[in-house]
Amino acid sequence: EAAELLGRPFEVGGVVVMGDQRGRELGFPTANLVVPQDRAVPADGVYAGWLEPTSGPDAGRRLPSAISVGTNPTFDGVERRVETYVIDRDDLELYGVDITVTFAERLREGH
């Protein structure tokens, strides 16, 4: 619905911060964005979309991604985050890189 009102897909951006490293340990490294409380983001859940870095070898490329929004209650998380896994890529070094995450479709609700 947000995309319809905006006339484009919803996006959120920021600098990638180090997370808990769980995804990396499982073979699915994620780029983590901490969401300021005053910032609008989609409802907690899992989404399909894209990650676009602004620097590095993939700068300017839209990379297909799985996106999780929420506090990660499976691991008793409390900090609301946007975590993005670039599909079939485990070679990206994105810590400290400014990225844009674009939400294309909601796949399921959060926990």
Side-chain angles (χ1 to χ4, degrees), residues 15-21 24 30 32-34 79 81 95-96:
V15 176
V16 176
V17 298
M18 186 169 288
D20 300 321
Q21 303 291 302
R24 183 172 299 281
T30 59
N32 296 276
L33 297 176
V34 175
E79 184 176 49
R81 304 178 187 175
Y95 296 123

Side-chain angles (χ1 to χ4, degrees), residues 12 16 28-33 45-53 58 61-69 82-90 92 94 99-107:
V12 63
V16 176
F28 301 96
T30 59
N32 296 276
L33 297 176
V46 177
Y47 297 81
W50 298 274
L51 178 149
E52 185 176 335
D58 290 302
R61 291 188 56 208
R62 292 180 66 187
L63 306 170
S65 301
I67 306 160
S68 173
V69 176
V82 173
E83 296 185 61
T84 306
Y85 166 66
V86 177
I87 305 297
D88 294 330
R89 295 287 301 267
D90 61 5
L92 299 172
L94 297 172
I99 63 170
T100 299
V101 176
T102 304
F103 294 81
E105 181 179 348
R106 188 172 194 195
L107 303 176

